[in-house]
């Protein structure tokens, strides 16, 4: 007995047919329209990749001293950026795996590019721990490989756990993304006009013919992968949180870090999804597929995670005061009133105050406002990592070891460069790969158009 | 290569044959020219690349040129001319030199000259290379310790900026070129030597003094002038208050109460190492020794001596006479010295009370000692002498000897007057740098330039020659420059503060074509080829009655010459014509500030300005590196900038003084007397090296530009104004280390942590707010309750919980360190010793500003109390070698691990540079190679590297190792000897013999381990650092760790540090508030 007014609005605009969906989505790739927005976007990305290349070459030739790190702040932008990018990489797998398992049908319109976003974000993130090494050319010592000296990594170190967590996450996200793409690659193959396209998409589709048996096995595999990927969403940022929590640095040494990091990651991830989705649906006229319902749902998730994150901030302050530990209480005071107070107040504004607007339906459904809020949250989440890394390190136990941190232009250029890498990668993705999952959207169209089965909340949709 | 030049020069073939014959092993050589290594050969190399000479003048490409030159010299094989044993027989300190065992170090006793006085050193030589300086325990001025300058002198030896050849007007020349000019000129002087002048620094060398005497006799009418930037005007020299010049020496072991009036006896005195040891020996409080001396200090600037004071009175320099007179008055001296009729200005109530208490304490003490600074006027010295007499200290804690350094007959001022009058035509400058460090009112530099450039027709009219290690400012104003040998490459002799003479013996043949001052004097005496050793032996052979060769060997081995210490003088008569006191009652303020000149704690008077270790050494208190600054106190910072925006470190002020002015940055130093600006000498140099300039621009400011010959130490009447500009300074300390810091807004003030724990703080405050990094108590509190220090740490009374089984350290050798904060005077010797021992690179000013300095041990200062009158605590911080080291478990590759002897070890090869260990180190003692800091390029500096210690490359972490290379060498030696004795025991027939030998083996092992010292420990003048085996209950370190005053830093983190501290004890007078009275 659900009140008609409270029923959620439809996921897709009415009037979609299977053919129109396929035509619309393949049309973004196949006839290859020359678009000025794409060229500009890809151009900016490529220029920034060159900035990245220059920064990395200079870094490797000179040493990590080109960055602003010092003693005591031995970790700087590299780690801040790493945690930030990894966090962004959370939303994709969360949308694909978690929401799939939770039977959220609205995910189908956004999961493909969210997953792509994840892959590029994790790739950006993965660069930083390697670049930040004093001797990056021996990074493979972090990996347990058999060697003549019988030396293994030191498994008590959270950095080793990081290697596994990030590595696994990247691998599983990639497989999951690719498996989801197989039916769409087959569609692309079937619509290919040129031989090279036919060959490439043909190879990528792994001989998919759309047989019922194919669909059955495909869906089982997809579900299993989702089951595998879902815990990784939790684990990867928990491990990143443990990089800090396992140390004894005041401001790091806190049990709340893993859940608080995961919530923060999902917050920044959804902010990034919307930051990408809002321009995409405008440029590629996808308002019929990526609807206000999607934006609304993402905003709600952001509100929830922002509340968890705010709880985390509150708990840190409480622990600092309640523990009676002079070092912990000093950290809280120093964050609020010390030399980097601006950063703490920035996160309070961006991550605690701003998300409160999301309580309002009108704001959740106002596209420009949402875009603006998402940008603020991205900034807030980056600053949060800055606060955690920098303000904790710069004033620790021994006042004689206190210092200050000032990023150099290479810190900034490397951050910008990875943004370019992300941007360029993403533009290549939307150029060559259907950015919305055709097979799943078609299924959604099928069910919402009153196919064989009425969609209910309780019936499994993918078991035929 | 210009062959014709070489062909034209005859090769000294007989000499080459001789050298080849003398060589021990096979000697490889490429050409006869190379082998002969003559001046001509060196010059041919210099001529080979004329373009380099031009590029060298361009500061930006200089670095590049240095690299090219190093490479080209190496290619040409001139490196083969570098480092070899001196040809003469030199004698090591203990071990016989017959067979040097490759890989094993040898120690040679020699002496380092510092401002004319000698300090005994043991120089370590490895495969012919001098590598490290230690103090000579048998030498009265060292007692086994070495200060920062001595430690850093090894780097001077290998300085690539040293002069390499004789130079004429800046161009490479040869020794024979010079002789061709010099000898005819000297011939003309044999009959009438007027116009021939010698300019030297302070000289105590018996041989050199006699050579100078011969010189003056040989050239009748010639004169010898003396100038030393540390000299007080002759009439005011402290030694001249007596009818004959007498040096006043002190014995601090014989004093319960010590008062210094402006004397920084712990750092600037020629006997400071000895005095520091003696002074601290009287302050070591232990559970079974509850006694310490009491130190009162009256001073203006903040000195290390002042920081050790139990009570410190900070007054302006012009007030010293008044306070001394007052004190004398209170002790019943007065009469003729302070005429009753004169109106003596009165003192403030607090200061009067301070002096009353000191006077009463001095009178009631069983033994006492009063020492006045060398820069004090004769009236103060005379009064101090009278007070010492009154207190019966003469002959007990104060004694007198004939002055060790004879007074100069002629001064620099006389020389300049003569130069102005045209009475000088030949000037020989033996070392030093008077063109830079002469008082500003004596225009020596311009007169010297004038003298050098005057021509008669095409020829120079005059001859000016400079002997110096570097082509410094004086060399640039002379026609000729002769490279001077370093003390580690020349023979010589020198006296210590108490007259004890030492032979300076070289460890290495001169690296470059250099001459020592003794050799140059022989040249002037018409023995141009006489080696230094010959002069020295000739001189001493006259006075030695026993078999000379035996005497020579023994003397060289011991490092001091028996029976040379000056006899005590009992007949002490003050000169009747001493000037009386003069008082001023003006209050100093920025418009009329009092100015203090002092040698810089690291660049000294300028002679160490090209030493990168010293440049990067953080100066005491200010922790400033690579620059000097004007120290002002907080009140003056507020006066100059306004109390709302007081000046901060680096703000530039303008000082107007006697019609001259100078702009320089300030550093704010709490505790300095009000209205006083303290300037240090030794900076603002322009010539003589690449380190002393910053890309061609002078480093720091040149205080000599304000210093006059009449008032070289203190004066009134300086006007200080703020220019409104600021310059970045490379300061390694953070202001927040002070419990009170100026220039912080109220929020920042509330963020400053409390670091000093002392009895009297409430338990709650100790628990909740105090980091308890420095713990201190008074002697009285410790006498009443020996647990007073432990009671300061409530948390440590609770058992520390751990999830893991503790590691078992109950076997073998277990290393630990104890640092006595009562004994640490903050002198920095340990930092440089560590740098020399462990191949620690310098990083340069820009990197220091980015907080990337590499010192493995640092000295933290904590200030407490009001900002105008603080107390200071020194705390050396090396790696703590935690048993539960937080750095170890976070390293992803296991590059830092724990040894079963309790060492926290770094495996550089395995380190990939995540820096996680440093983040997790609560003590922040790890250092990271952010760039390639180690010098792999300069071929001379490479020679200094300790072969036992890795030279770290870029991207790896490093830190204090407890000198693991010394530990390993000692352990190997111990095991060899113990195994040997055990083997003897095994073979012994009698059980009693077996038992005896086994016991002897244990005892021998224990002794060898007890002799092990880390580099910082070995050079520490006050033996504040003790290292050893914790498992041996008899070891010194184990005994210190059982002291109730022992505590560890941040132990509630369960780190279990192996380095622990002994609390700082003070001995304040019950009637006086502790700390400074300003």
């Amino acid at each position: 007995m659900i009140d008609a007014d409270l029923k959620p609005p439809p996921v897709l605009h009415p009037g979609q047919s299977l053919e129109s969906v396929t035509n619309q989505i393949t049309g973004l790739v196949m006839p290859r329209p020359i678009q000025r927005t794409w060229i500009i976007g890809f151009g900016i990305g490529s220029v920034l990749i060159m900035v990245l290349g220059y920064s990395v070459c200079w870094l490797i030739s000179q040493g990590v001293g080109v960055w602003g790190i010092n003693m005591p702040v031995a970790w700087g932008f590299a780690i801040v950026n790493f945690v930030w990018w990894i966090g962004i990489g959370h939303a994709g797998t969360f949308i694909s795996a978690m929401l799939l398992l939770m039977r959220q049908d609205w995910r189908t319109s956004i999961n493909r590019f969210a997953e792509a976003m994840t892959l590029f974000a994790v790739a950006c993130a993965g660069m930083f721990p390697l670049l930040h090494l004093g001797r990056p050319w021996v990074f493979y010592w972090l990996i347990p490989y058999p060697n003549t000296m019988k030396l293994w990594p030191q498994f008590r170190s959270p950095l080793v756990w990081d290697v596994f967590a990030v590595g696994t996450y990247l691998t599983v996200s990639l497989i999951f993304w690719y498996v989801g793409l197989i039916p769409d690659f087959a569609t692309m193959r079937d619509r290919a006009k040129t031989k090279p396209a036919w060959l490439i998409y043909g190879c990528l589709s792994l001989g998919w013919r759309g047989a019922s048996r194919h669909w059955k096995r495909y869906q089982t595999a997809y579900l299993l992968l989702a089951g595998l990927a879902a815990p990784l969403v939790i684990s990867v940022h928990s491990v990143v949180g443990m990089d800090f929590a396992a140390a004894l640095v005041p401001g790091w040494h806190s049990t709340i870090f893993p859940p608080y990091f995961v919530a923060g990651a999902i917050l920044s991830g959804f902010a990034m999804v919307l930051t990408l989705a809002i321009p995409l649906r405008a440029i590629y006229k996808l308002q019929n597929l990526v609807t206000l319902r999607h934006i609304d749902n993402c905003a709600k998730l952001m509100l929830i995670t922002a509340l968890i994150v705010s709880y985390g901030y509150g708990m840190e302050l409480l622990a600092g005061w309640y523990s009676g530990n002079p070092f912990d209480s000093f950290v809280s005071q120093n964050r609020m009133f010390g030399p980097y107070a601006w950063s703490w107040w920035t996160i309070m504004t961006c991550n605690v105050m701003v998300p409160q607007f999301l309580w309002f339906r009108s704001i959740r459904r106002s596209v420009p406002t949402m875009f603006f809020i998402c940008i603020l949250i991205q900034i807030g989440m980056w600053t949060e990592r800055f606060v955690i890394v920098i303000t904790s390190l710069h004033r620790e136990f021994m006042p004689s070891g206190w210092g200050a941190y000032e990023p150099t232009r290479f810190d900034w250029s490397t951050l910008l460069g990875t943004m370019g890498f992300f941007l360029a990668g993403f533009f290549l993705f939307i150029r060559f790969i259907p950015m919305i999952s055709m097979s799943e959207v078609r299924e959604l169209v099928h069910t919402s158009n009153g196919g064989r089965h009425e969609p209910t909340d309780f019936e499994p949709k993918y078991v035929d | 290569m210009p062959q014709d030049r070489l062909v034209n020069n005859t090769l000294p073939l007989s000499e080459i044959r001789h050298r080849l014959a003398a060589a021990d092993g096979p000697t490889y050589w490429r050409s006869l020219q190379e082998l002969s290594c003559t001046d001509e050969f060196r010059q041919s190399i210099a001529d080979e690349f004329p373009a380099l000479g031009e590029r060298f003048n361009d500061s930006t490409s200089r670095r590049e040129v240095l690299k090219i030159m190093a490479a080209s010299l190496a290619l040409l094989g001139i490196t083969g001319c570098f480092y070899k044993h001196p040809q003469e027989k030199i004698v090591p300190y203990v071990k016989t030199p017959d067979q040097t065992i490759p890989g094993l170090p040898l120690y040679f006793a020699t002496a380092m000259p510092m401002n004319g006085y000698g300090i005994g050193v043991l120089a370590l030589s490895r495969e012919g290379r001098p590598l490290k300086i230690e103090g000579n325990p048998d030498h009265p001025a060292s007692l086994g310790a070495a200060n920062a300058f001595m430690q850093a002198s090894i780097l001077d030896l290998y300085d690539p900026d040293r002069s390499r050849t004789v130079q004429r007007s800046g161009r490479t020349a040869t020794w024979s070129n010079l002789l061709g000019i010099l000898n005819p000129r000297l011939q003309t002087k044999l009959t009438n030597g007027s116009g021939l002048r010698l300019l030297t620094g302070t000289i105590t060398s018996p041989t050199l003094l006699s050579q100078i005497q011969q010189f003056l006799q040989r050239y009748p009418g010639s004169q010898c002038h003396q100038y030393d930037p540390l000299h007080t005007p002759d009439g005011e020299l402290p030694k001249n208050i007596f009818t004959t010049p007498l040096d006043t020496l002190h014995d601090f072991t014989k004093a319960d109460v010590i008062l210094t009036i402006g004397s920084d006896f712990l750092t600037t005195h020629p006997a400071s190492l000895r005095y520091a040891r003696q002074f601290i020996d009287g302050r070591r409080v232990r559970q079974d020794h509850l006694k310490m001396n009491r130190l009162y200090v009256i001073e203006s600037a903040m000195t290390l001596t002042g920081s050790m004071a139990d009570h410190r009175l900070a007054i302006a320099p012009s007030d010293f006479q008044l306070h001394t007179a007052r004190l004398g008055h209170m002790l019943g001296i007065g009469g003729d010295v302070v005429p009753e009729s004169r109106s003596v200005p009165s003192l403030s109530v607090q200061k009067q009370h301070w002096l009353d208490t000191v006077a009463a304490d001095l009178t009631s003490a069983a033994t006492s000692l009063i020492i006045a600074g060398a820069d004090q006027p004769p009236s103060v010295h005379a009064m101090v002498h009278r007070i010492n007499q009154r207190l019966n200290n003469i002959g007990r804690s104060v004694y007198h000897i004939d002055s060790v350094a004879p007074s100069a007959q002629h001064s620099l001022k006389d020389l300049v007057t003569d130069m102005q009058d045209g009475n000088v035509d030949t000037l020989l400058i033996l070392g030093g740098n008077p063109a830079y460090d002469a008082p500003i009112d004596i225009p020596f530099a311009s007169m010297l330039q004038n003298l050098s450039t005057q021509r008669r027709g095409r020829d120079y009219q005059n001859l000016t020659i400079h002997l110096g290690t570097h082509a410094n400012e004086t060399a640039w104003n002379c026609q000729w420059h002769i490279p001077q040998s370093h003390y580690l490459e020349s023979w010589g002799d020198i006296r210590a503060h108490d007259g004890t003479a030492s032979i300076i013996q070289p460890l290495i043949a001169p690296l470059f074509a250099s001459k020592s001052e003794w050799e140059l004097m022989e040249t002037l005496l018409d023995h141009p080829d006489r080696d230094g050793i010959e002069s020295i032996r000739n001189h001493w052979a006259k006075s030695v009655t026993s078999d000379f060769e035996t005497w020579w060997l023994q003397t060289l081995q011991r490092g001091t010459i028996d029976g040379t210490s000056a006899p005590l003088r009992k007949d002490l008569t003050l000169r009747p014509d001493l000037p009386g006191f003069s008082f001023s009652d003006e209050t100093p303020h920025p418009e009329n500030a009092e100015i203090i000149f002092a040698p810089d704690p690291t660049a000294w008077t300028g002679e160490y300005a090209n030493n990168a270790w010293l440049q990067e050494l953080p100066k005491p208190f200010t922790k400033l590196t690579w620059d000097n600054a004007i120290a002002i106190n907080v009140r003056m910072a507020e006066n100059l900038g306004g109390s709302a925006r007081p000046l901060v470190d680096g703000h530039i002020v303008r000082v107007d003084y006697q019609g001259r002015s100078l702009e320089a940055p300030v550093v704010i130093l709490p505790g300095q007397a009000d209205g006083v600006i303290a300037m240090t000498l030794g900076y603002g140099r322009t010539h003589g090296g690449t380190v002393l300039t910053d890309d061609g621009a002078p480093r720091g400011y040149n205080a000599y530009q304000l210093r006059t010959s009449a008032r070289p130490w203190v004066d009134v009447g300086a006007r200080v104004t703020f220019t409104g500009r600021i310059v970045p300074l490379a300061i390694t300390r953070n202001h927040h280390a002070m419990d009170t810091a100026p220039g912080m807004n109220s929020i920042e003030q509330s963020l400053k942590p409390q670091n000093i724990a002392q009895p009297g703080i409430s338990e709650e405050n100790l628990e909740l707010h105090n980091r308890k990094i420095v713990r201190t108590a008074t002697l009285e509190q410790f006498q009443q309750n020996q647990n007073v220090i432990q009671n300061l740490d409530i948390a440590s009374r609770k058992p520390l919980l751990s999830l893991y089984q503790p590691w078992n350290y109950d076997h073998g050798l277990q290393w630990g360190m104890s640092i006595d904060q009562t004994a640490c005077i903050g002198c920095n010797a340990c930092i440089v010793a560590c740098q020399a021992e462990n191949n620690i690179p310098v990083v340069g000013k820009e990197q220091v500003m980015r907080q990337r300095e590499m010192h493995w041990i640092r000295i933290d200062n904590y200030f407490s109390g009001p900002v105008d009158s603080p107390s200071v605590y020194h705390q050396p911080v090396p790696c703590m070698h935690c048993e539960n080291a937080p750095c170890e478990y976070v390293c992803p590759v296991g590059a830092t691990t724990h040894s079963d002897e309790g060492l926290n070890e770094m495996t550089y090869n395995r380190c990939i540079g995540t820096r996680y260990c440093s983040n997790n180190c609560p003590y922040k003692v790890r250092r990271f190679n952010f760039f390639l800091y180690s010098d792999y390029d300069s071929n001379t500096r490479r020679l200094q590297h300790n072969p036992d210690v890795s030279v770290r490359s870029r991207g790896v972490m490093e830190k204090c190792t407890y000198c693991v290379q010394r530990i390993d060498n000692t352990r190997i030696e111990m095991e060899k000897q113990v195994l040997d004795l055990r083997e003897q025991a095994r073979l012994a027939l009698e059980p009693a013999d077996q038992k005896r030998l086994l016991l002897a083996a244990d005892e021998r092992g224990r002794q060898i381990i007890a002799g092990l010292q880390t580099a910082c420990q070995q050079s520490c003048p006050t033996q504040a650092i003790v290292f050893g085996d914790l498992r041996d209950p008899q070891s010194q370190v184990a005994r210190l760790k059982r002291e109730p005053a022992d505590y560890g830093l941040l132990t509630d983190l369960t780190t279990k540090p192996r380095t622990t501290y002994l609390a700082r004890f003070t001995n304040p007078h019950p009637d006086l508030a502790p700390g400074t009275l300003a």
Side-chain angles (χ1 to χ4, degrees), chain A residues 79 101 118 182 243 279:
Chain A
I79 301 298
L101 294 178
T118 290
I182 290 172
D243 282 349

Side-chain angles (χ1 to χ4, degrees), chain B residues 664-676:
Chain B
V666 294
V667 286
I668 317 298
L669 187 48
Q672 189 163 297
D674 209 21
V676 170

Side-chain angles (χ1 to χ4, degrees), chain B residues 255-268:
Chain B
D256 295 335
V257 176
I258 300 157
L259 169 67
T260 94
I261 300 177
S263 169
D264 186 9
F265 66 88
L266 290 176
T267 49
T268 53

Side-chain angles (χ1 to χ4, degrees), chain A residues 417-431:
Chain A
T418 50
M419 286 180 179
F421 180 84
F422 179 84
L423 208 61
F426 199 78
F427 272 101
L428 284 178
F429 156 75
I430 57 179
R431 175 87 173 158

Side-chain angles (χ1 to χ4, degrees), chain B residues 534-788:
Chain B
E534 227 178 313
S535 335
I536 307 294
R537 282 171 62 98
N538 286 351
H539 177 85
W540 289 97
K542 288 177 213 151
S543 53
V544 174
T545 47
S546 56
D547 172 43
F548 183 72
E549 287 307 324
T550 321
W551 179 90
W552 179 252
L553 275 178
Q554 283 172 351
T555 302
L556 290 185
Q557 272 180 351
R558 201 174 36 242
T560 55
I561 302 179
D562 256 355
T564 46
S565 65
L568 298 192
R569 289 287 295 261
K570 307 279 186 199
D571 48 327
L572 313 166
T573 324
L574 286 174
R575 254 170 48 201
D577 57 336
L578 283 174
F581 286 108
S582 66
F583 307 125
S584 86
D585 47 358
E586 274 192 75
T587 335
H589 52 86
E591 291 292 307
N592 182 24
E594 300 204 10
I595 189 166
I596 301 179
F597 300 96
D600 190 86
T602 61
W604 201 236
T605 57
E607 60 176 308
Y608 300 109
N610 205 50
N611 191 306
W613 288 352
L614 289 171
Q615 284 284 6
E616 197 155 299
L617 185 62
K619 299 180 205 293
F621 311 115
T622 63
K623 303 295 173 197
L624 176 64
T625 63
W626 292 100
D627 265 311
N628 62 346
I630 297 178
I632 60 173
N633 73 358
V634 178
R635 198 170 296 164
M636 194 173 220
E638 285 170 348
N639 284 343
L640 287 171
S643 57
R645 299 191 58 186
L647 298 198
V648 297
D649 291 352
H651 268 134
I652 297 176
V653 295
R654 179 190 163 93
V655 179
D656 291 281
Y657 166 70
Q658 293 205 350
R660 301 181 183 92
S661 73
L662 179 148
E663 287 189 355
V666 294
V667 286
I668 317 298
L669 187 48
Q672 189 163 297
D674 209 21
V676 170
I677 57 172
M679 306 181 106
T680 63
L681 309 170
Y683 278 84
R685 290 196 50 189
T686 50
H687 294 89
T690 47
V691 175
L692 53 78
T693 57
D694 186 1
D695 262 346
R699 288 190 189 281
Y701 65 91
N702 184 355
Y704 289 110
Q705 287 175 353
L706 293 187
R707 196 175 186 232
T708 60
S709 56
R711 306 302 306 262
W713 298 114
V714 293
D715 201 5
V716 296
R719 187 165 170 271
V720 187
T721 43
F722 176 38
T723 61
R725 284 175 287 130
I726 193 163
V727 66
L729 294 177
I731 291 178
T732 65
R733 87 150 129 73
N734 194 297
H735 280 282
H736 303 83
M738 296 183 188
D739 261 21
T740 341
M744 285 162 55
N745 60 37
S746 56
I747 292 175
E748 288 264 291
Q749 280 287 3
S750 73
L751 278 177
K752 83 191 152 49
Q754 296 164 17
N755 303 303
I756 295 160
Q758 54 193 355
I761 302 174
S762 74
E763 276 210 2
E764 191 198 344
N765 209 357
L766 264 179
E767 182 85 321
L768 290 182
H769 301 295
N770 203 304
R771 300 189 174 207
K772 293 169 280 200
I773 288 170
V774 173
R775 298 181 196 175
T776 175
T778 64
L779 177 65
E780 200 184 344
Q781 287 161 337
F782 188 63
Q783 283 167 338
Q784 281 162 5
N785 177 10
Q786 294 222 341
N787 291 327
V788 66

Side-chain angles (χ1 to χ4, degrees), chain A residues 60 62 65 67 69-71 74-75 132 134-135 154 157 243 246-249 324 326 330 396-397 399-400 403-404, chain B residues 751 755 768 771 850-852 860 888-892 909 911-916 918-920 924 930-931 954:
Chain A
I60 290 174
Q62 299 298 306
W67 289 342
I69 44 177
N70 55 40
M71 294 290 148
W75 283 359
H132 109 121
R135 303 198 292 162
Q154 214 261 109
S157 171
D243 282 349
L248 50 69
V249 179
F330 175 81
E396 288 187 22
F397 297 100
S400 58
Chain B
L751 278 177
N755 303 303
L768 290 182
R771 300 189 174 207
R850 288 165 169 259
Q851 309 156 61
R852 291 169 179 174
D860 291 346
E888 287 171 8
Y889 73 86
V890 296
C891 176
N909 280 349
C911 178
I912 61 172
T914 66
R915 309 183 292 285
Y916 202 172
S918 169
N919 287 345
N920 215 29
K924 287 289 171 281
F930 287 93
F931 289 118
R954 161 193 144 192

Side-chain angles (χ1 to χ4, degrees), chain A residues 59-76 78 132-139 141-142 145 151-160 242-249 252 323-327 329-330 333-334 337-339 393 395-405 408, chain B residues 732-734 736-737 747-748 750-753 755 766-771 773 804 847 850-853 858 860-862 875 877 880 886 888-894 896 908-916 918-924 926-933 954-957 1049-1050 1052-1053 1055:
Chain A
L59 173 82
I60 290 174
S61 70
Q62 299 298 306
V64 284
V66 301
W67 289 342
I69 44 177
N70 55 40
M71 294 290 148
V73 189
W75 283 359
H132 109 121
L133 295 180
R135 303 198 292 162
W137 45 91
V138 287
F139 73 93
W141 291 355
L142 287 163
Y145 68 100
L151 276 170
W152 294 91
Q154 214 261 109
F155 289 103
R156 286 186 299 169
S157 171
L159 288 189
V160 176
M242 278 190 262
D243 282 349
F244 301 101
L248 50 69
V249 179
W252 287 7
S323 67
N325 181 323
F327 307 113
S329 61
F330 175 81
Q333 288 176 42
N334 187 43
F337 307 114
L393 283 178
R395 288 182 177 178
E396 288 187 22
F397 297 100
M398 294 276 284
S400 58
W402 288 7
Y405 172 81
T408 63
Chain B
T732 65
R733 87 150 129 73
N734 194 297
H736 303 83
I747 292 175
E748 288 264 291
S750 73
L751 278 177
K752 83 191 152 49
N755 303 303
L766 264 179
E767 182 85 321
L768 290 182
H769 301 295
N770 203 304
R771 300 189 174 207
I773 288 170
Y804 301 101
Q847 291 293 304
R850 288 165 169 259
Q851 309 156 61
R852 291 169 179 174
E853 64 276 2
R858 62 173 195 260
D860 291 346
N861 289 138
Y862 291 94
Q875 186 175 57
V877 185
M880 299 287 141
E888 287 171 8
Y889 73 86
V890 296
C891 176
V893 291
T896 184
Y908 305 122
N909 280 349
R910 179 68 174 165
C911 178
I912 61 172
T914 66
R915 309 183 292 285
Y916 202 172
S918 169
N919 287 345
N920 215 29
C921 172
Y923 309 99
K924 287 289 171 281
R926 290 179 156 262
R927 299 287 174 261
F928 187 68
N929 290 277
F930 287 93
F931 289 118
L932 183 62
Y933 292 133
R954 161 193 144 192
V956 300
M957 192 62 78
L1049 291 185
L1050 307 170
D1052 45 345
L1053 298 173
T1055 49

